[in-house]
């Protein structure tokens, strides 16, 4: 147990340390990701530090070795000279027991020491006779040389002969000093003694330290200089790139007159000039397209208004003929009825075109007020009950027991629901149409589900295009204009909401309208799933309208998303696509294609 408790404590402490390290390193990571100049400078400093550090270490070590070799050569030469002098002085003694031999050794050592005591940083000379224990060692300095002259060296010099050197450190005068110890045998008449020459390496150490300090300071200065040079060089390259990025951001924000400053004739100047040329071409193209769009909108609006007067005259004549049709023969009476029906459809089409022109011109206004959506849904289903009965399509309504209050424009919401339910009835193939209303604290949603032929792959992306029809050979049964869903998606965008579509071949289709409870709020999720529950593999869940929680099934990958902004319109078959902010996906998936309202509004007819 104690070991396990200790392990848990270590793990907890390690997690705390790692979290602290991540928080501390977060600014550096952000700077590394976001700044090209910071990455270049950092890489330059690291690489130059490694290179300069390696080169400096090599130079310092090589210099220290050269100084040591020079000192060894000098000590070796001096040792040979001192051995010759000691040989001349000690050869006069024929026996090791000669009472004058110790005094001769002392005099020889004092002479060889040159009067420079070791306490003042001078060399030390020592004579020893390892073969004659009665002869005591004689040194030029009153210090213990046992730490400098090791037994191993004594045995090597006395037993093998020849000169030997080693480096030892000892305390002399209270200061740790490094010595180069050189030992060599001195032949005499009674045998041989050993001469040891101990030279302090203070000067060489000082010179080596100065070299290391110089290399270190020079290396740091060089690294800093390289960092400054890298910063200046990268600034020359990064500054035009940053200017290009800022200019591109301004262009994307609609400031089409923004240009880069061109200076010089190098590659960066060529980049700036090419960028400016591209921006100018884009500006000309966008202005031309805007002018064409404006002319199209003006043409649509003018034509729609000009058709009002002749349409009113024709309507009056048609109403008169329709009222007197009982007095005509059957063929003429049938013609009057057809004329009345087609005039009704033409008038609806003209009204829709006027509404579309207001959206395109940006003159559509939202008259929002706090409204209960339950009566709106009931009113729409009641008004379309006759159409559903003629088509043999029952309408099933699922409403909450409590009022659903939202800040919306009731006229536009009713128009959206009327278009959705009408299309579902027309394409229901005699199967039930399900209308479900649900809400939460932030959003309200209405789904309209039919079980008809559905939508083929790719058709869900075209369902909101103007005048688009899934099957052009199929005649409209409800007399629609082909602009119902296009107006509906614009109404949804005007509310800041979403109008999305899902469909599967043979599995029907479902449309979901999602609106914020408070006007101006941003939607993040919908209270109802876009994909019907009966099309989700696995166990079936409760009815979404009765579920207390928020249903957010994720839509299949690659599905377009709802567009809250109004697109540039066209009076032909389609308008230009624009990117759209995505609503939060729902937490289930299905193989059927899912799509939300594209920038090109349209109605499915077919």
């Amino acid at each position: 147990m104690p070991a396990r408790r200790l392990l848990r404590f270590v793990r907890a402490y390690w997690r705390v340390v790692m979290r602290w390290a991540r928080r501390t390193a977060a600014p550096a990571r952000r700077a590394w990701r976001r700044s090209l100049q910071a990455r270049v400078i950092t890489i330059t400093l690291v690489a130059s530090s490694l290179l300069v550090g390696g080169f400096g270490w090599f130079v310092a070590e090589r210099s220290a070795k050269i100084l040591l070799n020079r000192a060894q050569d000098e000590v070796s030469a001096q040792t040979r000279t001192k051995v010759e002098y000691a040989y001349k002085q000690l050869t006069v003694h024929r026996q090791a027991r000669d009472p004058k031999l110790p005094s001769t050794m002392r005099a020889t050592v004092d002479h060889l020491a040159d009067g420079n005591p070791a306490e003042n940083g001078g060399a030390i000379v020592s004579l020893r006779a390892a073969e004659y224990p009665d002869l005591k060692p004689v040194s030029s300095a009153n210090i213990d040389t046992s730490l400098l002259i090791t037994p191993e060296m004594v045995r090597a010099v006395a037993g093998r002969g020849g000169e030997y050197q080693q480096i030892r450190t000892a305390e002399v005068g209270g200061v740790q000093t490094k010595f180069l110890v050189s030992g060599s045998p001195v032949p005499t008449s009674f045998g041989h003694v050993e001469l040891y020459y101990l030279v302090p390496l203070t000067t060489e150490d000082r010179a080596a330290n100065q070299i290391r300090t110089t290399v270190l300071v020079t290396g740091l200065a060089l690294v800093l200089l390289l960092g400054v040079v890298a910063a200046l060089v990268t600034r020359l390259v990064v500054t035009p790139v940053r200017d290009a990025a800022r200019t591109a951001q301004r262009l994307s924000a609609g400031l089409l007159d923004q240009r880069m400053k061109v200076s010089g004739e190098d590659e960066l100047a060529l980049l700036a000039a090419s960028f400016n040329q591209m921006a100018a071409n884009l500006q000309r193209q966008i202005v031309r397209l805007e002018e064409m769009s404006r002319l199209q909108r003006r043409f649509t609006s003018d034509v729609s208004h000009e058709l009002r007067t002749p349409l009113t005259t024709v309507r009056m004549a048609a109403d008169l003929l329709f009222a007197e049709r009982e007095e005509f023969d059957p063929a003429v009476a049938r013609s009057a009825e057809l004329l009345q029906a087609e005039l009704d459809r033409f008038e609806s089409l003209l009204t829709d075109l006027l509404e579309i022109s207001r959206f395109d011109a940006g003159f559509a206004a939202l008259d929002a007020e706090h409204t209960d959506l339950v009566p709106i849904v009931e009113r729409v289903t009641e008004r379309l009950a006759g159409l559903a009965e003629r088509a043999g399509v029952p309408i099933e309504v699922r409403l909450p027991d409590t009022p659903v209050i939202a800040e919306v424009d009731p006229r536009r919401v009713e128009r959206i629901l009327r278009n959705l339910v009408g299309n579902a009835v027309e394409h229901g193939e005699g199967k039930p149409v399900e209308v479900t209303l649900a809400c939460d604290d932030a959003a309200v949603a209405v789904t309209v589900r039919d079980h008809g032929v559905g939508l083929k792959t790719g058709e869900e992306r075209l369902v909101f295009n103007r005048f688009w029809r899934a099957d052009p050979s199929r005649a409209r049964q409800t007399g629609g204009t082909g602009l119902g869903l296009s107006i509906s998606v614009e109404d949804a965008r005007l509310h800041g909401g979403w109008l999305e579509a899902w469909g599967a071949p043979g599995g029907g289709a479902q449309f979901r309208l999602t609106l914020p409870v408070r006007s101006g709020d941003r939607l993040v999720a919908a209270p109802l799933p876009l994909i019907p529950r009966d099309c989700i593999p696995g166990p079936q869940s409760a009815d979404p309208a009765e579920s207390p929680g928020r249903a957010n099934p994720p839509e299949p990958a690659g599905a377009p998303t709802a567009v809250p902004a109004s697109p540039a319109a066209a009076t032909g078959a389609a308008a230009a696509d624009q990117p759209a902010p995505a609503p939060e996906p729902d937490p289930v998936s299905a193989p059927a294609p899912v799509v939300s309202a594209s920038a090109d509004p349209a109605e499915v007819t077919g």
Side-chain angles (χ1 to χ4, degrees), residues 299-378:
F299 175 77
T300 302
S301 178
D302 291 345
V303 169
S304 301
H305 282 288
E306 291 298 329
L307 287 176
R308 275 296 184 185
T309 301
L311 178 61
T312 302
T313 304
V314 175
R315 165 62 72 181
M316 293 173 59
D319 289 343
L320 180 61
L321 292 175
F322 185 75
E324 302 293 335
R325 68 184 183 281
E326 299 295 339
E327 301 179 3
F328 302 148
D329 57 49
V332 178
R334 178 57 178 165
S335 298
E337 294 174 354
L338 292 176
L339 177 62
Q340 183 74 8
E342 290 301 320
L343 278 176
D344 290 339
R345 183 173 178 274
F346 183 72
E347 190 170 12
S348 299
L349 177 61
L350 188 59
T351 302
D352 290 346
L353 285 175
L354 287 173
E355 187 70 22
I356 284 291
S357 66
R358 281 192 288 272
F359 279 117
D360 293 341
F363 295 149
L366 186 67
D367 188 11
E369 60 185 45
H370 290 86
T371 307
D372 186 2
L373 271 66
V374 174
I376 295 180
V377 176
E378 292 176 342

Side-chain angles (χ1 to χ4, degrees), residues 270-281:
L270 179 61
L271 171 64
S274 302
F275 185 92
N276 292 341
Q277 182 65 32
M278 178 188 67
N281 294 337

